C-alpha cells in the first residue's frame, strides 16, 4: 500500500495583509510538504470576525499567488464552520470535560496569570444575563514533545495543567479548539509555524487524542523580530509584502530559514525560485532558535 502524501497548511488571520514574518511561515510550511510531494492547504483563521478586515482574505490569497505559493484544494474559512465547532463542543461537554467559568481577567491576573481551576466544581450554568467562558479540564497533558526543528522541548508543567478556554464568554470559539478541529478534518500531518505557538503544542496534541485523532508533527521556526521580543505582526504595523519585490523577498526568506541559494537565482523568476527551493529544501538547516532579529 502506498503511503499517503504529507499534508501541510498555512492558516493566516485576515486581519490585514501578509508581512515578511507571514512569508517566512508560509514558505517554510510550503517547502516542508512540497519537498515530499505533499499537499499544501490554505485556511483563513477568521473565527474572530470582529478582528477581520473586509477584503483582507482576498488580498492574502492574491499575495500568495504573486509569491508562487499555490495551494491545493479549496480554501477553508473558519467563519463557515461554526456548526462543526459547536458539534465538537457538545461532544466534549457530553464527555464531562467542560465547565463554565465566570472569572474576570483581573482574577486570573491575581492568580499569577495562569487560571487555577477555581470554577471547576462550581457547576455554573450559562444564561443570557451571565454568559460564561467554557474551559476544558484535561488532566495529564504532556510536558514535553519532540519538535521537527528544535528537537526535544520541555514545557512548564503548571502551564500544561491549566484548564484553558475553548469557548469565550462572547460566544466565539477559541483558537485552541478550532485549530485542532480544522487540522483533524483536513488530515494535516505536518505543521510548520512560528515559535510563539510552541507552548500550545502539547495541549493541542492532547485535544487530538481526546477526539480520537492523530496529531500532526509540529515544527517551530524562529520569529522574525524587529527588536528582542517584538515579532513582526499586523498589530505592530509590519509593512505589507510588496509583490514587485517578490524575488528579493523570497531570497531573504530562504536565507532567514538557513537555505543556501546560488547568486544566479537573483535574476530568476518567482516560479524558478520556488522550484529550486522545493528541490533543495533542508529542514535540518533551519536555525534552531526561537527568534531572529532583522537588520
Amino acid at each position: 500500500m502506498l503511503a499517503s502524501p504529507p499534508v501541510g497548511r498555512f492558516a493566516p488571520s485576515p486581519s490585514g495583509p501578509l508581512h515578511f514574518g507571514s512569508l517566512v511561515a508560509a514558505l517554510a510550511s510550503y517547502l516542508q510538504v512540497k519537498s515530499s510531494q505533499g499537499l499544501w492547504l490554505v485556511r483563513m483563521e477568521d473565527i474572530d470576525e470582529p478582528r477581520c478586515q473586509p477584503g483582507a482574505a482576498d488580498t492574502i490569497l492574491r499575495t500568495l499567488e504573486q509569491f508562487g505559493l499555490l495551494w491545493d484544494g479549496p480554501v477553508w474559512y473558519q467563519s463557515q464552520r461554526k456548526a462543526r465547532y459547536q458539534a465538537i463542543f457538545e461532544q466534549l461537554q457530553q464527555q464531562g470535560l467542560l465547565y463554565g467559568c465566570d472569572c474576570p481577567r483581573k482574577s486570573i491576573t491575581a492568580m499569577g496569570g495562569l487560571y487555577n481551576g477555581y470554577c471547576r466544581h462550581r457547576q455554573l450554568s450559562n444564561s443570557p444575563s451571565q454568559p460564561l467562558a467554557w474551559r476544558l479540564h484535561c488532566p495529564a497533558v504532556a510536558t514535553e514533545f519532540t519538535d521537527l526543528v528544535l528537537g526535544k522541548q520541555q514545557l512548564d508543567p503548571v502551564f500544561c495543567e491549566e484548564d484553558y478556554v475553548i469557548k469565550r464568554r462572547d460566544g466565539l470559539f477559541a483558537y485552541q479548539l478550532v485549530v485542532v478541529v480544522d487540522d483533524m478534518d483536513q488530515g494535516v500531518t505536518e505543521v510548520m509555524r512560528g515559535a510563539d505557538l510552541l507552548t500550545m503544542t502539547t495541549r493541542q496534541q492532547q485535544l487530538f487524542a481526546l477526539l480520537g485523532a492523530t496529531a500532526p508533527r509540529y515544527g517551530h521556526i524562529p520569529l522574525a523580530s524587529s527588536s528582542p521580543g517584538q515579532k513582526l505582526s499586523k498589530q505592530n504595523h509590519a509593512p505589507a509584502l510588496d509583490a514587485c519585490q517578490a524575488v528579493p523577498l523570497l531570497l531573504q526568506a530562504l536565507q532567514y530559514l538557513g537555505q543556501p541559494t546560488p547568486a544566479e537565482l537573483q535574476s530568476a523568476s518567482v516560479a524558478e525560485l520556488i522550484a529550486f527551493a522545493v528541490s533543495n529544501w533542508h529542514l535540518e538547516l533551519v536555525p534552531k532558535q526561537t527568534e531572529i532579529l532583522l537588520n
Side-chain angles (χ1 to χ4, degrees):
M1 180 182 296
L2 294 176
S4 299
V7 179
R9 50 81 168 169
F10 177 56
S13 170
S15 55
L18 299 182
H19 51 75
F20 182 74
S22 314
L23 176 61
V24 169
L27 187 61
S29 64
Y30 183 90
L31 297 178
Q32 175 65 10
V33 293
K34 287 299 181 180
S35 63
S36 300
Q37 294 77 50
L39 302 175
W40 190 65
L41 310 177
V42 170
R43 181 169 73 227
M44 290 294 163
E45 292 194 339
D46 61 348
I47 194 67
D48 194 347
E49 293 181 76
R51 291 184 58 243
C52 297
Q53 291 185 5
D58 289 340
T59 299
I60 287 171
L61 295 177
R62 186 166 61 250
T63 300
L64 290 174
E65 290 175 332
Q66 291 167 331
F67 279 75
L69 301 175
L70 307 179
W71 56 93
D72 300 295
V75 176
W76 282 27
Y77 293 80
Q78 290 178 337
S79 59
Q80 299 173 3
R81 288 175 44 78
K82 294 176 185 177
R84 173 62 171 156
Y85 305 140
Q86 182 64 28
I88 294 294
F89 175 83
E90 292 171 3
Q91 175 184 329
L92 294 170
Q93 204 167 35
Q94 290 167 4
Q95 292 176 258
L97 296 171
L98 303 183
Y99 63 89
C101 173
D102 64 359
C103 293
R105 190 179 298 273
K106 63 180 180 181
S107 297
I108 297 172
T109 301
M111 296 173 191
L114 288 175
Y115 176 74
N116 64 7
Y118 174 75
C119 294
R120 192 178 298 154
H121 304 294
R122 295 177 66 202
Q123 297 184 325
L124 300 175
S125 297
N126 211 8
S127 71
S129 60
Q130 187 191 30
L132 301 172
W134 290 88
R135 293 182 180 273
L136 177 69
H137 177 50
C138 184
V141 173
T143 59
E144 63 180 38
F145 75 101
T146 300
D147 191 272
L148 290 172
V149 175
L150 301 170
K152 188 173 182 179
Q153 295 296 298
Q154 187 72 40
L155 305 180
D156 179 2
V158 177
F159 178 84
C160 293
E161 292 168 4
E162 182 185 35
D163 294 345
Y164 58 88
V165 171
I166 67 164
K167 193 174 188 181
R168 297 173 4 186
R169 194 171 307 202
D170 60 8
L172 293 176
F173 292 101
Y175 167 80
Q176 292 280 26
L177 176 72
V178 299
V179 71
V180 167
V181 175
D182 289 344
D183 283 345
M184 178 177 70
D185 288 355
Q186 289 190 296
V188 172
T189 62
E190 297 192 13
V191 172
M192 298 290 288
R193 60 188 183 182
D196 53 333
L197 295 171
L198 187 147
T199 57
M200 306 293 182
T201 303
T202 56
R203 285 182 175 182
Q204 292 170 9
Q205 289 173 328
Q206 180 73 347
L207 186 49
F208 270 101
L210 289 176
L211 297 175
T214 301
R217 301 193 302 162
Y218 293 91
H220 292 84
I221 60 175
L223 297 173
S225 302
S226 56
S227 59
Q230 189 81 1
K231 73 166 186 173
L232 295 182
S233 69
K234 296 160 189 170
Q235 290 80 7
N236 295 333
H237 309 292
L241 294 173
D242 180 357
C244 295
Q245 297 295 314
V247 168
L249 286 169
L250 284 167
L251 287 168
Q252 184 182 356
L254 288 168
Q255 181 182 24
Y256 182 95
L257 290 167
Q259 308 300 305
T261 53
E264 56 267 24
L265 285 178
Q266 293 179 11
S267 58
S269 68
V270 167
E272 290 169 338
L273 181 52
I274 291 295
F276 173 88
V278 168
S279 299
N280 294 274
W281 171 248
H282 297 286
L283 180 63
E284 68 276 10
L285 297 181
V286 176
K288 294 173 174 54
Q289 56 197 89
T290 58
E291 181 181 63
I292 293 178
L293 298 182
L294 298 176
N295 296 326

